[in-house]
Amino acid sequence: MGVLNVTPDSFSDGGRWLDPAAAIAHGEQMITDGADIVDIGGESTRPGASPVDEAEEMRRVLPVVEALAGRVRLSVDTRKESVARAAVASGASLINDVSASLWPVAADTGAGWVAMHMPADPSIMQEHATYDDVVVEVRDYLLARAEKASGAGVEEIWIDPGIGFAKTAAHNLSLLRHLDVLVGTGWPVLVGVSRKSFLGRLGRAPLGPSDRLPETVATTTWAAVQGAAMVRVHDVGPAVMAMRLARGTGRCGEGPGRGEGRDAAGGNGREG
Ligand code: HH2
């Protein structure tokens, strides 16, 4: 899943693709680089980001969805029902929902749905980075949402731990270390680590977002080999290589519809 942020303020590429022509060209480049899905977003959800009104979000996103529709699978990265509906009507077939609340729209429209873990609004979420057991709490939250969506008739459901959303670096690393717990639920897992700030503190001198490619590739490969079925990245070419490697080792996760043996209790828990 290639990231296409049509925003002025995204944490790593804010402003670069705000012009629709630039956004469309970037989307085309990601298709050439091997993206299976292009994820189009018009609102940053970085820590402390201010919300965008729905007319502005649609103005950013819809022309890009319309231009790329039919050329690659499209997802819309939004928390707003109206934006999700309009994007699906314009050609998106996956709703990437960091609020994990838009399953009724997916049920209504027949679109797929990504449920991501984010326990509070981005403007205040870092105050909520407290957990007794981050892995179990994230798993239970995502399982509950996925089961609601499934009960409502959504056929394609992905779960995503929300790396960097109300999480400290230690929480992010713990979720990556125990990714098998999410994979063990049987729901296909999406992971987005690309350029995130905890990568800038993994060992090299503090790094800016666009200098975090080696760390992004390393953690993306880790996620894929642990069973993530999809990764969300800004730099598509290196991630395609990571996924090919994971597939080659036989460790890469399966997409939706193949989650036989799903276990309501969350499958292979860490202690089990
Ligand atoms: N991360 C971001 C945005 N959307 N969606 C999913 N499913 N998983 C993620 O980890 C995720 C996401 C944040 O990255 P980015 O879009 O580059 O930044 P911004 O929110 O500042 O636009």
Side-chain angles (χ1 to χ4, degrees), residues 1 3-7 9-14 39 41-47 49 77-78 95-98 114-117 122 125 158-165 190-196 230 232-234:
M1 174 185 272
V3 180
L4 185 44
N5 286 322
V6 193
T7 57
D9 57 346
S10 285
F11 80 92
S12 82
D13 55 0
D39 184 40
E43 178 185 54
S44 171
T45 47
R46 73 181 196 288
D77 183 355
T78 188
I95 300 169
N96 176 22
D97 176 12
V98 301
V114 176
M116 196 198 78
H117 178 267
M125 67 185 170
W158 296 80
I159 59 170
D160 180 329
I163 298 294
F165 287 83
L190 167 62
V191 175
V193 289
S194 189
R195 300 183 181 173
K196 288 189 176 170
M230 179 152 67
R232 181 181 182 277
V233 293
H234 301 86

Side-chain angles (χ1 to χ4, degrees), residues 68-136:
L68 295 176
R71 299 161 73 180
V72 69
R73 187 171 189 203
L74 297 176
S75 74
V76 59
D77 183 355
T78 188
R79 298 185 283 159
K80 297 189 185 71
E81 173 173 347
S82 56
V83 177
R85 283 189 190 278
V88 171
S90 301
S93 63
L94 185 63
I95 300 169
N96 176 22
D97 176 12
V98 301
S99 71
S101 62
L102 297 179
W103 72 85
V105 183
D108 249 24
T109 59
W113 180 64
V114 176
M116 196 198 78
H117 178 267
M118 179 177 73
D121 192 83
S123 56
I124 52 154
M125 67 185 170
Q126 286 315 106
E127 296 159 28
H128 291 255
T130 49
Y131 306 88
D132 289 329
D133 184 332
V134 68
V135 176
V136 167

Side-chain angles (χ1 to χ4, degrees), residues 100 113-118 135-148 157-162 175 182 185 187 189-190:
W113 180 64
V114 176
M116 196 198 78
H117 178 267
M118 179 177 73
V135 176
V136 167
E137 287 170 49
V138 167
R139 179 199 65 188
D140 290 351
Y141 173 100
L142 293 174
L143 262 180
R145 301 289 166 129
E147 278 157 18
K148 272 191 183 157
I157 299 169
W158 296 80
I159 59 170
D160 180 329
L175 285 162
L182 291 189
T185 65
W187 298 103
V189 173
L190 167 62

Side-chain angles (χ1 to χ4, degrees), residues 151-203:
V154 180
E155 285 186 4
E156 179 187 352
I157 299 169
W158 296 80
I159 59 170
D160 180 329
I163 298 294
F165 287 83
K167 319 271 181 342
T168 62
H171 294 139
N172 293 326
L173 290 171
S174 192
L175 285 162
L176 289 173
R177 178 172 174 206
H178 298 294
L179 206 60
D180 61 316
V181 173
L182 291 189
V183 171
T185 65
W187 298 103
V189 173
L190 167 62
V191 175
V193 289
S194 189
R195 300 183 181 173
K196 288 189 176 170
S197 63
F198 78 106
L199 299 177
R201 294 182 233 121
L202 278 185

